[in-house]
Amino acid sequence: MARGSRRCLLLLLLLLLSALGAPALGDPGPLEDVVIDRYYIPKICLREAQMGDFIRYHYNGTFKDGKKFDSSYDRGATVAGVVGVGRLITGMDRGLQGMCVNERRHLIVPPHLGYGSIGVAGLIPPDATLYFDVVMLDIWNKNDKLQITTLSKPERCNRTVENSDFVRYHYNGTLLDGTPFDSSYSKGSTYDTYVGTGWLIKGMDQGLLGMCAGEKRSIIIPPFLAYGEKGYGTVIPPQASLVFSVLLVDFHNPKDGVFLEHLEVPESCKRRAVTGDFVRYHYNGTLMDGTLFDSSYSRNQTYNTYIGKGYIIPGMDQGLQGVCVGEHRRVVIPPHLAYGENGAGKYKIPGSAVLVFDVHVIDFHNPADPVEIETVFRPEGCNVTTRNRDFVRYHYNCSLLDGTRLFSSHDYEKPQEVTLGANKVIEGLNSGLLDMCAGERRVLIVPPHLGHGESGARGVPGSAVLRFEVELISMEEGVPEGYLFIWHGDPPANLYEQMDLNKDGGIPAEEFSTFIKTQVAEGKGRLMPSSDPEKVIADMFQNQDRNQDGKITPDELKLKSDEDQEKIHEEL
């Protein structure tokens, strides 16, 4: 209220009292006790100043006429002391009790509760009434303990901070009245240090114990567990309580090894990965607070590498040992087994960061692995089995080890057909089709060096282990390598004359084809099995018609005995 308005109100009150016959107001005389006006009380008051508490406060001291006689603001330093024990003038001792932090009071201290009839030479005259505007900044007691409030805590917490752990945390630091003095956020980096080894103030050393990664805490530290009577520079005054809002980003111990969590392990695990194996896996890589720094899924491509040979960080080399195909595993790696104090700028991994990899193993193999063959069904009385050069018909389903379907012969009208040993299919499938009976069913596991290798193929990822389900439908006995036709016995002595059906001294393609078909039909010889015998016969004719004039002459027809001498492998 303005001073003029107050005067008008007082005059009106006097006139009103006079009109009512009331006696006029006189001087009320000296105050008996301190007058307290609590003109600002904070909504939250966790504690009130009591006798024996240490307090810090700012004040302006004036006389009744408003003339200033003292001010802590002018000195640029708060006042710290013990309340209620006679170290302050009695009026101030009484006026400060019951105050909350950030509360503001106007105190009127009569002379007998101030400096009395003596005053303070040159500063406060005798019998002076003193007026103080006070704001309370801090309250604590030598019996106080650390005040820890958990603001949030993650659901998963496998381990909590212990002494000698190395921690990385963010914080906002304020005085008890809310005045900020420091923040890691403003620096753009966490505060990284050891706990319980004297690198921190005692209160923080204690306040961080038992925290989980990702936990948030409010830690109120009394001065004797902080910077005490000296304070710290210009930002933390002497005898200041400190309030830290802390977010623990991660922590580890230099003695930590890799921590493994088996999230999902397939029931069937015939083999586990060992040093020297080549592993294909997907992963999400995060920091302990969940920040994603890398993911193979985002590239839509597995990460492929040997394990135990130093191609990846030591922690992952260890963490992938013993995995099963199809396993989901969490690998937690301390920094000394990851990127150490320097971190990895490429992946935005800070120094001394603990890494968490959620891994899904797609497959693995060893360069020495053979084709793995599992016979699902083999007919009874199986006497004739497949060999190289045999012509086979078979059905198959091909998939990756994680079940991803790649190809199937059932998508076509007829089975797959191939001559074994003719380099028409991948080596692993060719091996898996050998020694089979018609009607037999197998499961083949083909490592990439016997499949499509590091480069893969259309629809097949590089370095992929393939799973084939095969069923042999039929087989035809083949001929030796380099031959398109073989005799079951000795060839006719007068071969050319028998082949020259019209006896004109030349054998055109038609006569050649008719002759060969007759030999096959009479069981005297057999063609290399193929889905197109006409093409096989045409190739045979072309091999014999050396001058390519459309007919075979006696000189062009060579017997096998002559071929062996000339080291030429042809059919006839």
Side-chain angles (χ1 to χ4, degrees):
M1 182 180 294
R3 184 176 299 174
S5 299
R6 289 179 178 175
R7 288 177 178 174
C8 290
L9 182 60
L10 181 60
L11 289 172
L12 287 172
L13 182 59
L14 289 172
L15 290 172
L16 178 62
L17 292 173
S18 299
L20 294 174
L25 293 175
D27 189 345
L31 297 174
E32 294 183 2
D33 202 352
V34 62
V35 176
I36 300 173
D37 177 13
R38 303 179 71 183
Y39 65 89
Y40 174 75
I41 302 174
K43 292 181 179 180
I44 299 176
C45 181
L46 300 177
R47 179 175 184 175
E48 295 179 348
Q50 298 180 9
M51 186 179 296
D53 282 343
F54 289 82
I55 58 173
R56 280 194 318 107
Y57 59 96
H58 262 309
Y59 73 91
N60 281 319
T62 63
F63 299 118
K64 186 175 181 179
D65 61 2
K67 182 181 178 181
K68 186 189 299 184
F69 63 82
D70 194 14
S71 172
S72 63
Y73 296 98
D74 293 346
R75 292 193 300 273
T78 56
V79 178
V82 182
V83 67
V85 294
R87 296 182 183 177
L88 303 172
I89 59 173
T90 305
M92 186 66 84
D93 248 352
R94 295 180 184 179
L96 294 174
Q97 292 191 45
M99 284 192 78
C100 306
V101 172
N102 285 327
E103 182 178 343
R104 294 176 180 270
R105 288 184 177 183
H106 182 70
L107 309 178
I108 304 177
V109 180
H112 66 282
L113 298 179
Y115 293 97
S117 59
I118 299 175
V120 178
L123 182 63
I124 297 175
D127 298 317
T129 300
L130 307 179
Y131 296 78
F132 292 94
D133 276 307
V134 181
V135 56
M136 184 64 67
L137 302 177
D138 201 340
I139 305 169
W140 58 277
N141 193 287
K142 62 182 179 180
N143 295 321
D144 284 350
K145 296 181 180 179
L146 210 63
Q147 297 181 50
I148 298 175
T149 304
T150 299
L151 305 177
S152 66
K153 194 171 185 176
E155 293 181 5
R156 298 171 58 87
C157 184
N158 296 320
R159 177 171 172 264
T160 60
V161 174
E162 300 175 359
N163 280 324
S164 79
D165 282 343
F166 188 87
V167 295
R168 295 196 310 117
Y169 61 93
H170 271 302
Y171 69 90
N172 285 317
T174 67
L175 304 180
L176 203 59
D177 67 339
T179 302
F181 62 81
D182 196 14
S183 172
S184 63
Y185 296 97
S186 65
K187 300 181 180 70
S189 63
T190 55
Y191 191 81
D192 307 342
T193 188
Y194 287 93
V195 173
T197 57
W199 290 23
L200 294 166
I201 57 175
K202 292 181 180 180
M204 189 62 85
D205 255 346
Q206 298 175 22
L208 293 171
L209 293 176
M211 287 192 78
C212 304
E215 182 176 343
K216 292 183 179 180
R217 280 184 178 180
S218 172
I219 305 172
I220 301 178
I221 304 175
F224 55 84
L225 295 177
Y227 293 98
E229 297 179 359
K230 295 182 178 180
Y232 187 82
T234 60
V235 293
I236 299 177
Q239 301 290 22
S241 301
L242 306 182
V243 181
F244 287 93
S245 177
V246 175
L247 168 62
L248 185 64
V249 175
D250 72 15
F251 67 96
H252 73 280
N253 195 284
K255 298 178 181 179
D256 283 348
V258 173
F259 175 78
L260 301 180
E261 187 174 353
H262 304 279
L263 304 177
E264 182 181 340
V265 181
E267 292 183 5
S268 175
C269 183
K270 297 180 180 179
R271 176 169 171 257
R272 295 178 179 271
V274 297
T275 293
D277 283 343
F278 189 87
V279 184
R280 294 195 315 124
Y281 59 95
H282 270 303
Y283 69 90
N284 283 322
T286 65
L287 306 179
M288 281 190 80
D289 64 353
T291 301
L292 182 72
F293 62 80
D294 193 19
S295 173
S296 63
Y297 295 99
S298 66
R299 296 186 291 272
N300 197 30
Q301 185 176 355
T302 56
Y303 191 83
N304 310 330
T305 188
Y306 289 95
I307 63 170
K309 305 184 85 173
Y311 292 122
I312 48 181
I313 57 175
M316 191 60 86
D317 252 348
Q318 297 177 26
L320 291 172
Q321 295 284 337
V323 292
C324 300
V325 170
E327 181 176 345
H328 289 262
R329 177 180 285 192
R330 177 166 292 154
V331 184
V332 182
I333 304 175
H336 53 274
L337 296 175
Y339 293 99
E341 296 180 2
N342 296 325
K346 176 182 177 182
Y347 299 107
K348 297 182 180 179
I349 296 174
S352 300
V354 177
L355 307 184
V356 181
F357 288 92
D358 282 322
V359 174
H360 177 206
V361 178
I362 303 300
D363 63 31
F364 63 86
H365 73 282
N366 194 283
D369 283 348
V371 175
E372 182 182 329
I373 300 174
E374 178 187 354
T375 300
V376 178
F377 172 76
R378 189 176 179 98
E380 295 183 2
C382 174
N383 297 319
V384 180
T385 60
T386 53
R387 298 178 296 175
N388 276 327
R389 308 302 301 168
D390 286 350
F391 183 76
V392 297
R393 294 180 177 84
Y394 62 97
H395 270 304
Y396 72 92
N397 292 314
C398 177
S399 63
L400 302 179
L401 290 193
D402 66 352
T404 301
R405 183 180 183 273
L406 297 180
F407 313 106
S408 176
S409 63
H410 296 283
D411 294 337
Y412 304 95
E413 295 180 356
K414 59 181 182 178
Q416 185 79 7
E417 299 176 337
V418 72
T419 299
L420 296 177
N423 296 320
K424 299 298 183 182
V425 294
I426 57 174
E427 184 178 348
L429 179 56
N430 192 94
S431 299
L433 289 169
L434 294 176
D435 197 32
M436 287 188 77
C437 304
E440 184 174 344
R441 296 194 300 274
R442 289 179 174 179
V443 173
L444 312 176
I445 305 298
V446 180
H449 55 275
L450 298 176
H452 293 285
E454 295 181 7
S455 301
R458 185 177 181 181
V460 180
S463 300
V465 179
L466 303 179
R467 183 181 189 273
F468 286 92
E469 298 173 350
V470 296
E471 179 183 5
L472 188 64
I473 305 301
S474 65
M475 57 177 289
E476 297 177 34
E477 188 179 0
V479 297
E481 185 176 359
Y483 289 83
L484 298 176
F485 173 89
I486 61 169
W487 296 97
H488 288 161
D490 292 330
N494 54 350
L495 178 60
Y496 189 86
E497 287 77 4
Q498 291 191 29
M499 193 177 295
D500 184 9
L501 300 180
N502 63 6
K503 310 303 179 186
D504 64 352
I507 304 171
E510 294 79 4
E511 284 187 345
F512 183 84
S513 177
T514 300
F515 176 79
I516 293 298
K517 290 177 180 178
T518 300
Q519 308 310 304
V520 172
E522 293 177 355
K524 295 179 180 179
R526 70 175 185 274
L527 288 168
M528 182 188 80
S530 171
S531 58
D532 187 0
E534 295 291 346
K535 183 177 184 308
V536 174
I537 294 174
D539 288 344
M540 291 175 62
F541 180 81
Q542 187 174 8
N543 288 344
Q544 299 298 327
D545 182 16
R546 304 188 182 220
N547 62 7
Q548 304 297 304
D549 64 353
K551 61 182 180 180
I552 299 173
T553 64
D555 291 337
E556 290 176 328
L557 188 67
K558 296 290 185 179
L559 297 179
K560 188 171 186 310
S561 58
D562 296 329
E563 292 173 358
D564 290 342
Q565 293 173 3
E566 298 177 16
K567 298 183 180 180
I568 298 174
H569 289 277
E570 294 180 315
E571 297 72 27
L572 301 172

